[in-house]
Amino acid sequence: MPKKLLVIGYVWPEPNTTAAGCRMQQLLNAFLELGYRITFASTAVKTEYSLDLKPCGIRETTIALNHSSFDDFVKQLAPDLVMFDRFMVEEQFGWRVAEFAPNAVRILNTEDLHGLRKAREEAHKKDVRFKLLDWKNHPVTLRELASMYRCDLSLIISTFEMRILREHIKFPAELLFHLPFMVEVSKNHKDTLPTFAERNDFVSIGNGKHAPNVDAIKLLKQEIWPHIRKKLPEAQLRVYGAYLPQQIKEMHHPKSGFFIDGWIENADLVLENSRILLAPLRFGAGIKGKLLDGMKTGTPTVTTTIGAEGMYGDQHWNGVISDNWNDFANAAVKLYQNKLEWERAQKNGFALLESNYNKTKSTKQFKDLLDNLIYDLKNHRTENFVGRLLQHQTLTSSKYMAKWIEEKNKKV
């Protein structure tokens, strides 16, 4: 009989607008390949970009926050695994799952370390240098780590985040699993991509709800693009992304080759026909889906240390990494004009995909880990003493807070 998986989503997946949506789609596909029967539940409202999961054989259901109807739902479903999409969802539903589906393996899909992202953003706003101590002391980090301890396993997408969790927090290795984006790139696909000569112009992609993307577009407009355009007066930069704010839309300026084109359904097609992807990211966390898409479509990238963080290890990047904006612009121009360097960068990207983001290898490792976890769940939880302690304390506080809110809502 197939195992049952319940995914509690922070939002409904939007793979055509966000890297998080792509990540969720990849995870769901992996579980489907492993034979799981999946139910996806969320308190969120669907948008025009939300993926229809039903054709994939995934059951969709809407759930209520702070409502006992979820208790009956999860008890009747009796899942073998429950995956929380981000720590905030585990805070909301973790105690209910622990009480009404106690034998289900609890997995946290972190997406990225939210405390790290918030601490970096705050340091950027204050114009001060970020330190890892800022992350360790951030209140979001404390909430996030408590959530990770309460779960049986947390999925970590970045090698950098794995390292700081192990080295700076001493977080137990047995509660973590490094699972990056999972990509398939066939030789036939690589051979049919447009060549250097067949591509033109620069591209930048980013969801407008994500603060680092908005900051990067502003940087391109004010600091980087004028320098590139001066050296390449015929070049154009096309900026794509869903939910772009009005201040970004107003940057549209065709005369200077700066185009704000908004959401595009097929981002891969745009990337395949662009020569260089620009991503001057100054803060953020996790790994960047747009940069992985650049590798997949054979498009070299000019980005920052933050942009490439946790993505390439000791291998060569598929382009250039620079945190100085003059150097960034000069590197973009040089890569745009130099066919040999461009082709070398493209090959580096394909090598990174094969070694670090191989779907077949990652899926097998994930399957073996899940099988062992399900088989030895009791001992696994016994060894996680901090998790049991937090589960006991948090369950009590969250449970009665949720029940208080539920009673309060009844009177409204």
Side-chain angles (χ1 to χ4, degrees):
M1 187 173 178
K3 293 184 177 68
K4 291 181 285 186
L5 166 69
L6 169 63
V7 180
I8 308 178
Y10 179 67
V11 294
W12 294 93
E14 295 184 8
N16 287 335
T17 69
T18 68
C22 291
R23 164 72 162 178
M24 179 54 71
Q25 185 180 40
Q26 289 179 2
L27 289 173
L28 293 174
N29 287 338
F31 277 111
L32 286 172
E33 287 182 20
L34 296 177
Y36 281 80
R37 197 165 70 213
I38 305 174
T39 298
F40 192 99
S42 181
T43 62
V45 176
K46 285 191 174 186
T47 74
E48 59 181 310
Y49 304 118
S50 297
L51 181 66
D52 185 2
L53 300 173
K54 296 188 290 295
C56 305
I58 297 173
R59 175 190 170 194
E60 297 180 353
T61 187
T62 300
I63 51 177
L65 188 61
N66 298 314
H67 200 281
S68 58
S69 58
F70 178 85
D71 307 343
D72 297 328
F73 161 72
V74 75
K75 188 174 183 179
Q76 184 176 6
L77 182 64
D80 298 282
L81 278 79
V82 175
M83 184 167 71
F84 305 102
D85 179 29
R86 301 169 229 200
F87 81 92
M88 301 83 80
V89 171
E90 188 279 335
E91 288 181 331
Q92 294 163 345
F93 291 98
W95 71 268
R96 293 183 184 274
V97 171
E99 185 167 339
F100 295 97
N103 296 322
V105 174
R106 298 188 295 272
I107 300 174
L108 178 62
N109 175 38
T110 60
E111 292 293 349
D112 58 45
L113 292 181
H114 289 62
L116 179 63
R117 176 153 48 85
K118 289 294 292 181
R120 280 177 168 163
E121 183 175 355
E122 289 171 9
H124 171 71
K125 287 180 178 178
K126 295 174 183 175
D127 196 24
V128 297
R129 185 179 178 183
F130 167 78
K131 305 179 294 296
L132 276 177
L133 194 62
D134 301 334
W135 162 64
K136 292 174 71 173
N137 290 333
H138 201 282
V140 172
T141 296
L142 301 180
R143 288 172 55 196
E144 191 168 22
L145 292 174
S147 177
M148 291 167 63
Y149 267 111
R150 288 192 296 268
C151 290
D152 301 306
L153 186 70
S154 290
L155 306 181
I156 308 298
I157 202 168
S158 159
T159 55
F160 174 79
E161 293 180 4
M162 282 289 289
R163 181 172 67 79
I164 62 173
L165 284 168
R166 295 290 296 119
E167 293 180 5
H168 293 267
I169 303 295
K170 310 300 180 187
F171 200 89
E174 61 273 15
L175 300 181
L176 303 173
F177 181 60
H178 176 230
L179 186 64
F181 282 107
M182 297 173 279
V183 181
E184 281 182 314
V185 180
S186 66
K187 185 178 185 303
N188 180 60
H189 172 75
K190 290 187 282 188
D191 291 343
T192 58
L193 288 170
T195 64
F196 174 86
E198 293 169 333
R199 298 175 184 234
N200 289 294
D201 299 324
F202 296 83
V203 65
S204 184
I205 296 179
N207 186 313
K209 288 184 176 179
H210 196 45
N213 292 332
V214 174
D215 178 71
I217 297 170
K218 291 178 180 178
L219 263 176
L220 287 169
K221 176 70 172 177
Q222 298 162 5
E223 302 284 344
I224 298 170
W225 184 246
H227 190 101
I228 294 175
R229 179 76 169 185
K230 186 177 180 180
K231 295 193 174 185
L232 299 171
E234 300 302 316
Q236 296 181 350
L237 170 60
R238 320 292 303 211
V239 178
Y240 296 94
Y243 307 114
L244 294 179
Q246 186 61 31
Q247 61 173 317
I248 296 299
K249 293 177 182 178
E250 291 174 0
M251 293 180 181
H252 183 73
H253 195 257
K255 283 187 178 180
S256 63
F258 197 91
F259 294 81
I260 304 294
D261 290 330
W263 179 72
I264 183 74
E265 185 172 3
N266 192 340
D268 282 357
L269 186 61
V270 168
L271 284 166
E272 287 174 7
N273 289 283
S274 302
R275 194 174 289 180
I276 305 291
L277 171 65
L278 302 177
L281 298 161
R282 291 196 283 187
F283 54 97
I287 59 176
K288 315 307 180 290
K290 62 175 74 62
L291 302 184
L292 206 66
D293 290 339
M295 297 179 199
K296 190 172 61 175
T297 55
T299 308
T301 302
V302 184
T303 190
T304 58
T305 303
I306 289 288
E309 179 183 86
M311 293 191 70
Y312 67 105
D314 57 0
Q315 295 176 259
H316 294 293
W317 183 246
N318 73 318
V320 179
I321 299 169
S322 176
D323 298 316
N324 177 282
W325 306 133
N326 281 335
D327 294 344
F328 188 104
N330 288 332
V333 170
K334 185 178 179 181
L335 198 55
Y336 189 87
Q337 295 176 316
N338 191 311
K339 180 174 181 289
L340 288 178
E341 286 196 22
W342 187 92
E343 289 177 342
R344 188 181 300 116
Q346 185 186 66
K347 288 179 181 177
N348 290 341
F350 290 145
L352 280 170
L353 287 178
E354 180 58 35
S355 60
N356 296 354
Y357 304 98
N358 186 294
K359 178 184 175 183
T360 302
K361 182 171 69 174
S362 293
T363 302
K364 184 183 184 305
Q365 291 173 344
F366 192 34
K367 176 186 182 301
D368 292 343
L369 181 65
L370 291 178
D371 288 345
N372 290 334
L373 194 53
I374 292 171
Y375 175 77
D376 199 33
L377 184 59
K378 184 176 180 180
N379 287 331
H380 180 82
R381 286 179 175 170
T382 298
E383 292 300 313
N384 180 15
F385 182 80
V386 174
R388 286 190 291 135
L389 178 66
L390 286 169
Q391 186 68 44
H392 176 267
Q393 295 296 322
T394 308
L395 187 148
T396 302
S397 59
S398 298
K399 175 178 179 178
Y400 289 105
M401 174 59 78
K403 286 183 175 294
W404 177 80
I405 293 172
E406 184 176 354
E407 290 300 316
K408 183 172 177 288
N409 290 339
K410 287 178 182 178
K411 297 174 183 177
V412 175

